[in-house]
Amino acid sequence: MTSRERVMAAINHQEPDYVPLDLGATPSSGISAIAYNNLKQYLGITEGHTRIFDVVQQVVIPEEPLLRRFGVDVLDIGRIFNEKDSDWYDITLADGSRAQYPVWFHPQRLDNGDYIVLDKEGTQIARMPVGATFFDQTCFPYVEDYPQDFSDLDHQMGKVLWSALVHSPWDHAGETGFYEDLRKRVLHLREHTDKALMITCGCNLFEWGTFLRRMDHFLMDTYADPEHVQALVEQLMERHLKTLEQVCAAVGDIVDILRFGDDLGMDTGMFMSREKYRELFKPHHTRLNDYVHTHSRMKTFLHSCGSIYPIMGDLIEAGYDVINPVQTTAYQMDPAVLKKEFGNDITFWGGGCNTRTVLNRAAPRKVYDYTRRMIDIFAPGGGFVFNQEHNIMPDVPAANIVAMYQAVQDARN
């Protein structure tokens, strides 16, 4: 099989020739810059660049030599933007190693070593404390209350770091002819690779409520002020459907998978009851999936962290083809149970290695054995694309990364 055939077979619940693998096809299935530098050094790779395409999470674009070495089967189409050396500049990471930022991103360093980001109006929208490896959101536009109407919603969304510091290709979305350029670039990529292609569109609903109102307020709103929650979600849906219309028209026939995002779970359970999810968000998630499936050939992929077992059936009914990151460390997210109950109806993209206590802390042999066990659970019958549980973080030893991918390679033989 080609990589594309392998990934699509897995999503269609057909067992492929061997387990498909993702590294870096989404901003939540990749590797952080520090871990990437350590991995390259461990492997003796001295060429190339450590380019941080998601500046909030400090996640890099994996380079071709590593994609080939580990047998990666899927690509994020954002990698075909900012392709010139002049689109990047050198920076120093928290551990003293080198990397590059896109030229549009210039955080300010304070006297105490912290980095902050100001928008064009001078509002501080993000902060990364000295020694840290992630920018935190500092501006919550509706934290005091909802506005009388949502006429300023676009402006206020632009003050949220996830929108203001968006990764490629969306850092070019404001340019004239963006969608025509997007199609041209994706067509060229598809002609020159046999890998499956992914586009990230977000279209978050619950999360946008937390970005605007702050987590504590929005969680209370879902119970104490559901009318405002519903009004906000309707406004978000207008914008999301407009984006999906343009994406489907531009690349819906040439991209294989469209990634949505909406973190609905914590380590210990869901953010809300199953009934609240069904009332406030499921109908809109269904509309998003219906639109993509009706107007394109793309499969839909939901990134949702945490304990989401209670609504797995609802997510399937809403139309999602793929779920990620499959956080098996969370409550009720037992991999064997998930595979048995839902493995015929949704594809698990992740769950391949525990990033909380195994990949970052265990000895390489334990990482290898754990990874082989997860593959044995998830892979039979298709419906599985290998990925660790969320991004590979800076504290993960390079030897453990290699052990994880060696387990995948050995399972393929």
Side-chain angles (χ1 to χ4, degrees):
M1 287 182 165
T2 66
S3 285
R4 184 176 299 117
E5 291 169 343
R6 186 171 301 121
V7 171
M8 300 315 291
I11 295 176
N12 289 322
H13 300 277
Q14 302 161 3
E15 190 163 326
D17 54 350
Y18 53 73
V19 176
L21 168 66
D22 169 31
L23 171 62
T26 82
S28 51
S29 63
I31 181 168
S32 66
I34 289 175
Y36 189 73
N37 279 342
N38 290 337
L39 177 60
K40 288 181 68 174
Q41 182 179 21
Y42 182 85
L43 296 173
I45 299 173
T46 58
E47 303 295 323
H49 304 280
T50 299
R51 288 179 167 167
I52 299 173
F53 85 107
D54 183 334
V55 299
V56 176
Q57 299 183 96
Q58 304 281 285
V59 174
V60 306
I61 304 169
E63 296 164 285
E64 284 291 340
L66 282 173
L67 298 180
R68 289 195 301 270
R69 184 184 188 109
F70 296 130
V72 174
D73 293 296
V74 56
L75 298 176
D76 171 23
I77 60 94
R79 69 189 295 116
I80 57 180
F81 285 79
N82 305 328
E83 76 279 12
K84 300 188 297 293
D85 288 344
S86 58
D87 293 326
W88 303 87
Y89 72 97
D90 293 337
I91 57 106
T92 301
L93 298 170
D95 69 339
S97 64
R98 304 291 287 173
Q100 292 185 326
Y101 278 155
V103 293
W104 55 261
F105 181 63
H106 284 274
Q108 298 182 21
R109 186 172 186 178
L110 303 181
D111 291 341
N112 68 354
D114 290 3
Y115 285 95
I116 63 170
V117 180
L118 307 180
D119 71 3
K120 293 180 180 178
E121 298 175 342
T123 303
Q124 182 182 309
I125 63 170
R127 188 181 195 100
M128 183 166 68
V130 60
T133 56
F134 192 107
F135 278 91
D136 295 311
Q137 181 177 348
T138 56
C139 177
F140 299 86
Y142 293 163
V143 67
E144 297 299 329
D145 202 354
Y146 290 92
Q148 291 186 346
D149 60 50
F150 290 100
S151 59
D152 71 337
L153 180 56
D154 290 327
H155 177 70
Q156 298 302 338
M157 289 173 73
K159 288 184 172 290
V160 172
L161 82 169
W162 298 106
S163 176
L165 309 180
V166 70
H167 54 77
S168 55
W170 301 108
D171 54 347
H172 293 269
E175 298 172 2
T176 302
F178 166 70
Y179 284 101
E180 292 81 0
D181 186 37
L182 178 67
R183 181 172 181 82
K184 180 180 177 181
R185 289 172 182 263
V186 174
L187 276 170
H188 183 267
L189 178 63
R190 190 173 181 92
E191 291 169 358
H192 290 82
T193 183
D194 70 352
K195 299 186 188 303
L197 303 182
M198 175 93 72
I199 185 169
T200 292
C201 283
C203 296
N204 315 59
L205 296 172
F206 170 73
E207 282 189 309
W208 260 115
T210 68
F211 299 158
L212 291 164
R213 282 280 286 152
R214 208 175 62 193
M215 179 68 79
D216 52 347
H217 289 299
F218 196 65
L219 286 176
M220 291 187 286
D221 293 342
T222 59
Y223 288 87
D225 194 3
E227 292 81 10
H228 267 126
V229 172
Q230 290 172 331
L232 174 60
V233 170
E234 286 290 351
Q235 291 289 324
L236 293 169
M237 282 296 295
E238 288 183 16
R239 289 153 176 82
H240 294 341
L241 289 171
K242 182 178 179 181
T243 297
L244 291 180
E245 178 182 359
Q246 295 171 305
V247 169
C248 289
V251 297
D253 59 331
I254 49 177
V255 168
D256 300 295
I257 308 149
L258 183 145
R259 176 195 180 273
F260 291 122
D262 231 354
D263 285 344
L264 300 167
M266 308 174 285
D267 283 348
T268 55
M270 289 189 57
F271 281 116
M272 70 200 78
S273 68
R274 182 181 184 184
E275 291 71 28
K276 272 295 174 186
Y277 170 72
R278 288 176 165 179
E279 172 193 346
L280 296 175
F281 301 105
K282 182 180 177 180
H284 303 290
H285 284 163
T286 303
R287 288 172 63 195
L288 294 173
N289 280 291
D290 285 349
Y291 190 91
V292 173
H293 290 144
T294 301
H295 294 90
S296 80
R297 57 181 293 278
M298 296 182 289
K299 299 292 187 179
T300 56
F301 171 122
L302 176 66
H303 170 77
S304 186
C305 288
S307 173
I308 54 173
Y309 173 84
I311 60 165
M312 282 296 300
D314 293 287
L315 297 176
I316 292 166
E317 289 177 2
Y320 292 108
D321 299 301
V322 177
I323 192 72
N324 162 272
V326 198
Q327 190 179 333
T328 64
T329 56
Y331 178 63
Q332 291 187 317
M333 294 291 285
D334 180 275
V337 173
L338 292 173
K339 181 67 174 181
K340 179 180 179 180
E341 295 191 16
F342 307 110
N344 292 329
D345 301 306
I346 200 164
T347 293
F348 298 108
W349 191 299
C353 192
N354 167 355
T355 52
R356 297 288 293 274
T357 58
V358 177
L359 187 60
N360 58 338
R361 297 180 184 175
R365 184 68 208 187
K366 183 174 181 180
V367 171
Y368 178 95
D369 291 342
Y370 182 94
T371 302
R372 286 298 300 265
R373 186 165 67 252
M374 292 302 103
I375 294 172
D376 289 344
I377 291 172
F378 281 119
F384 178 57
V385 175
F386 184 89
N387 188 232
Q388 71 283 340
E389 298 176 20
H390 218 293
N391 292 320
I392 299 171
M393 301 303 286
D395 62 337
V396 176
N400 286 7
I401 301 172
V402 172
M404 177 178 69
Y405 288 129
Q406 187 62 54
V408 178
Q409 296 303 321
D410 290 349
R412 288 173 158 185
N413 296 329

